[in-house]
Amino acid sequence: MTIFEEAKRGLVLDGAMADELQRQGTNLNNKLWTASALVNQEEKIYQAHLNYFKAGANIVITDTYQANVPGFIKAGYSQKQATNFIKQAVKIAKHARDDYEKQTGIHNYVAGTVGPYGAYLADGNEYRGDYELSKQDYLDFHLPRLKLILAEHPDLIAIETQPKLIETQVLLDWLIQNEPHMPVYVSFTLKNETSISDGTSLAQATQIVDKYEQVIGIGVNCVAPNLVSPALELLNKNTTKPLVVYPNQGASYNPEIKEWEEVKDHFDFSKLTKTWYEKGARLIGGCCTTGPKEINQISTTLSQLKERR
């Protein structure tokens, strides 16, 4: 069964990398955020991935969301070091996947993540999208990282936490020309129930992304849980591809200290998974402020729902 076929039935995504690193004592108050752990805390990244596999995740996302060559160079590292950090991120995730398979016989997947230019700005811009680059500038920024990720052969690419449609299109156009057989999923951040963060309608964004054959799923991530159901209803009207959802817990992000405010409402992800599955969600996980507990709730519920179908 291909990953696309499995996605149609349902797959569990992992939860937040940042929260798992912080639980292990990692200080992420810097512009590299979770990517800073690639410098000298690889074992903690490995453990985070393994924790999510043990919780029931079928797909873990590499620690490359905010790992990019300009960011590492700006932080004082050489281009060679930056290259090694990004490649190592994929290797660590694959190592955890392979070790888990040896232990359990369960084959899972690694998604190489490509965060937006807004993540590099490290000011919360992935939730606003108030930056404008040329298509070539987007390519110049993204391709060094994307090519390094692809060179390590992940199972799929996650173009995630995207606030701008044009930036997503630039990446998809390059992939269809250069890596047309690599599965990809795309997930946007939201301004409100009907628009992605830069103000483009979610319907328009979905219709455009839907045209790319290698895209195996379209959805939203790092949004408040109350925005998910309305988004799913809109997504369902504009694509027949599997829908992707992995929200945060509704907290607000403070870009000054690189942390999320304390979560006041803890959601029951078992109930949410049932609701979202009924609305068409098939790749379901958690983003910032979620952890193995939430992923286990999703995994248990999704397994039950799949058995009933």
Side-chain angles (χ1 to χ4, degrees):
M1 189 180 296
T2 66
I3 190 170
F4 182 56
E5 291 169 331
E6 289 197 61
K8 288 181 178 179
R9 296 188 66 244
L11 289 169
V12 181
L13 294 164
D14 64 6
M17 173 60 72
D19 291 68
E20 278 302 283
L21 290 174
Q22 287 175 318
R23 271 190 275 271
Q24 297 180 69
T26 306
N27 181 359
L28 302 179
N29 188 10
N30 60 82
K31 289 194 173 184
L32 290 173
W33 198 41
T34 60
S36 61
L38 290 166
V39 176
N40 57 14
Q41 299 187 69
E42 294 179 357
E43 73 286 350
K44 293 181 179 179
I45 300 169
Y46 170 89
Q47 189 61 51
H49 290 315
L50 199 59
N51 289 347
Y52 282 122
F53 282 133
K54 289 178 178 178
N58 305 118
I59 300 173
V60 297
I61 299 169
T62 57
D63 188 19
T64 51
Y65 171 77
Q66 204 152 321
N68 54 75
V69 174
F72 280 120
I73 291 174
K74 193 173 181 180
Y77 298 99
S78 68
Q79 180 147 350
K80 183 177 180 180
Q81 286 175 308
T83 295
N84 289 336
F85 292 149
I86 292 168
K87 294 178 74 172
Q88 194 62 20
V90 185
K91 292 176 181 177
I92 295 167
K94 291 175 70 175
H95 184 199
R97 178 202 63 190
D98 294 345
D99 282 355
Y100 186 74
E101 184 169 5
K102 289 175 185 176
Q103 296 167 13
T104 65
I106 299 171
H107 180 70
N108 287 316
Y109 300 101
V110 168
T113 181
V114 179
Y117 180 78
Y120 161 69
L121 297 176
D123 61 358
N125 227 305
E126 54 263 73
Y127 309 109
R128 301 192 306 273
D130 55 5
Y131 53 89
E132 297 291 340
L133 279 71
S134 69
K135 290 183 178 181
Q136 188 58 52
D137 285 340
Y138 282 125
L139 283 177
D140 290 344
F141 171 75
H142 283 294
L143 285 188
R145 170 179 52 182
L146 179 55
K147 288 180 178 179
L148 290 168
I149 292 171
L150 289 167
E152 296 303 322
H153 308 291
D155 299 298
L156 67 158
I157 293 293
I159 302 177
E160 63 164 355
T161 328
Q162 295 292 310
K164 300 181 75 66
L165 176 60
I166 183 62
E167 185 173 4
T168 304
Q169 284 180 270
V170 167
L171 287 164
L172 290 172
D173 286 341
W174 186 89
L175 283 164
I176 202 69
Q177 291 294 321
N178 296 276
E179 292 282 348
H181 302 297
M182 173 60 70
V184 179
Y185 78 72
V186 172
S187 58
F188 294 101
T189 55
L190 296 177
K191 182 177 183 179
N192 51 45
E193 293 182 358
T194 60
S195 302
I196 67 173
S197 293
D198 74 345
T200 303
S201 76
L202 180 59
Q204 179 189 359
T206 305
Q207 290 166 8
I208 289 173
V209 172
D210 181 70
K211 296 176 183 178
Y212 293 86
E213 290 186 10
Q214 73 193 101
V215 172
I216 65 168
I218 308 172
V220 297
N221 79 287
C222 218
V223 300
N226 65 301
L227 290 177
V228 172
S229 285
L232 284 170
E233 292 171 7
L234 203 157
L235 286 159
N236 243 328
K237 295 176 182 177
N238 293 281
T239 184
T240 59
K241 295 181 186 289
L243 303 185
V244 183
V245 294
Y246 50 116
N248 55 49
Q249 297 239 32
S252 297
Y253 181 66
N254 185 330
E256 295 298 322
I257 61 173
K258 306 294 182 292
E259 290 183 9
W260 290 77
E261 67 179 19
E262 185 178 351
V263 176
K264 297 177 181 178
D265 298 319
H266 287 271
F267 293 86
D268 185 336
F269 275 73
S270 298
K271 292 181 180 178
L272 291 175
T273 297
K274 186 175 185 297
T275 298
W276 297 339
Y277 186 84
E278 290 171 351
K279 292 181 180 293
R282 291 297 180 269
L283 283 81
I284 306 174
C287 204
C288 296
T289 66
T290 67
K293 175 186 174 182
E294 288 76 21
I295 299 311
N296 186 252
Q297 290 175 347
I298 294 167
S299 176
T300 300
T301 304
L302 188 58
S303 294
Q304 294 168 351
L305 292 167
K306 288 162 68 175
E307 286 175 5
R308 294 173 191 168
R309 285 181 65 88

